[in-house]
Amino acid sequence: MPTFSTVIQPATEPRGALTLDPAVFYPAAISAETRAINAGIVKALGAVPDRWVFPMAMLRKLRLEGKGPFPLAPESPYAQAIEIDGPHGPIPLRVLSPPEPKGVYLHLHGGGWTLGSARENDGLNHRFVERTGFAVVSVDYRLAPEEPWPKGPDDCEAAALWLLREGPTRFGTERYAIGGESAGANLSVATLLRLRDKHAIMPFRAASLHAGCYDLALTPSARAWGDEPLVLNTRDINVFVGHYLRAMTEVADASLASPDISPLYAGLTGLPPALFSVGTRDPLVDDTLFMAPRWLAAGNATELAVYPGGAHVFIGFPGTLADQALARIHGFIAGC
């Protein structure tokens, strides 16, 4: 099964290259296993009544009770819940740490800025700790619509600054990476931009950006996807964006093209090496295909991995494709 993968030369080299093999998008490139996984996702979500008639708080509660459309992973034995101070009040962090961490990965979960939690990512984050030797600090940032933009990014910025202050003492290391999935990838880039522009620092050595949403005006693949409930569809994206940006008009000079909202429009110089991962059956595939070349063009080391048939955040569904992508992510962070 072909997997497109390319490593971009770092900024110190005279030239970079980004070559995309169109065969990775051919239906024939999708394995029978991946087709079966996708069919199961569509069946499970197609059987759910219109979830947007329920309050977000209820949907969050059901997911944390293991009553969502997909199973809840067991709690990691590494996990410890703590709180730190933030600009809008306490920020819960979920810390998964081995005895002597080799580094710390600041994780920002997905969920369309409205759903999701650090706890729901225990399965992936436990595996991350085991495979990399890094500690994971996963941020329970404020969620829309109750706490819309910019409160979520404010919390992520505060968590990053806390890690820089407390990391050497708490974890015994100053080797840091950042990343997340979907909305979490958006917030990861927004956090990097805030650290660069507001604090004149760039302490993270690497960024793992999986299936990110980088243009909240919607890229062509997101607009054209339609109704198929393969994890995420066009209506879902519009609902998430509407909730997240419900207070945007209250902030001067804010727009869909504001870098803090849509990082695709940001100046990207001076950012760390990044691995962009996405599946070809993801409504947000264009976001990654647009963002990775911009990351490269700004002079940053860039890696891109595109997986045939992968659904949105397919790394959350067991299978060969997820194993391949996670191995690449773990190796990238472990080597930073």
Side-chain angles (χ1 to χ4, degrees):
M1 178 179 62
T3 300
F4 168 72
S5 176
T6 187
V7 179
I8 307 308
Q9 297 173 7
T12 54
E13 295 294 329
R15 299 179 63 188
L18 182 59
T19 303
L20 181 61
D21 182 354
V24 76
F25 292 94
Y26 295 168
I30 304 174
S31 71
E33 179 190 51
T34 299
R35 290 178 186 277
I37 291 169
N38 290 351
I41 294 170
V42 171
K43 182 178 180 180
L45 290 178
V48 176
D50 185 0
R51 59 179 170 171
W52 303 130
V53 302
F54 300 103
M56 288 292 175
M58 179 183 294
L59 295 177
R60 295 180 202 127
K61 181 174 183 292
L62 291 172
R63 286 167 58 128
L64 280 171
E65 293 174 349
K67 299 175 182 177
F70 305 111
L72 179 67
E75 288 197 56
S76 168
Y78 292 121
Q80 176 191 13
I82 66 172
E83 283 190 347
I84 64 171
D85 294 331
H88 308 292
I91 304 169
L93 303 180
R94 193 167 181 86
V95 179
L96 287 69
S97 182
E100 296 182 2
K102 298 178 180 178
V104 185
Y105 178 62
L106 185 67
H107 173 252
L108 307 178
H109 68 78
W113 309 276
T114 65
L115 299 171
S117 66
R119 163 65 187 93
E120 291 169 62
N121 283 266
D122 266 19
L124 286 174
N125 286 338
H126 180 88
R127 188 172 179 180
F128 191 97
V129 173
E130 294 275 282
R131 299 296 174 85
T132 66
F134 274 54
V136 175
V137 175
S138 192
V139 184
D140 270 318
Y141 53 86
R142 282 166 172 76
L143 298 175
E146 299 92 337
E147 304 279 0
W149 177 87
K151 291 185 178 180
D154 290 347
D155 284 350
C156 297
E157 176 188 359
L161 294 172
W162 171 86
L163 177 59
L164 304 187
R165 291 192 305 269
E166 302 295 329
T169 300
R170 178 178 285 269
F171 301 104
T173 180
E174 295 182 75
R175 186 182 179 194
Y176 306 130
I178 191 172
E181 307 80 33
S182 193
N186 168 289
L187 291 167
S188 295
V189 180
T191 300
L192 292 171
L193 294 171
R194 286 179 175 218
L195 294 178
R196 183 196 67 184
D197 297 341
K198 294 175 60 177
H199 306 282
I201 55 175
M202 190 45 59
F204 290 98
R205 297 187 182 189
S208 174
L209 305 171
H210 182 81
C213 184
Y214 307 116
D215 182 357
L216 274 65
L218 274 62
T219 55
S221 62
R223 289 174 178 267
W225 179 267
D227 297 329
E228 184 183 17
L230 185 56
V231 181
L232 186 72
N233 63 25
T234 301
R235 183 190 178 202
D236 296 336
I237 300 168
N238 281 316
V239 169
F240 289 143
V241 170
H243 285 318
Y244 182 51
L245 300 181
R246 65 194 304 258
M248 184 176 69
T249 56
E250 301 172 12
V251 180
D253 300 323
S255 74
L256 287 174
S258 299
D260 199 53
I261 292 171
S262 296
L264 184 65
Y265 298 95
L268 300 173
T269 56
L271 299 182
L275 169 61
F276 292 88
S277 308
V278 73
T280 62
R281 290 283 291 140
D282 188 331
L284 298 179
V285 63
D286 280 355
D287 289 68
T288 289
L289 296 181
F290 295 173
M291 189 60 146
R294 290 213 65 238
W295 204 270
L296 164 67
N300 308 306
T302 308
E303 297 186 24
L304 172 65
V306 180
Y307 295 88
H312 185 61
V313 192
F314 65 89
I315 56 174
F317 300 92
T320 302
L321 204 67
D323 290 342
Q324 291 176 350
L326 288 170
R328 177 71 180 271
I329 291 167
H330 298 156
F332 176 76
I333 296 299
C336 74

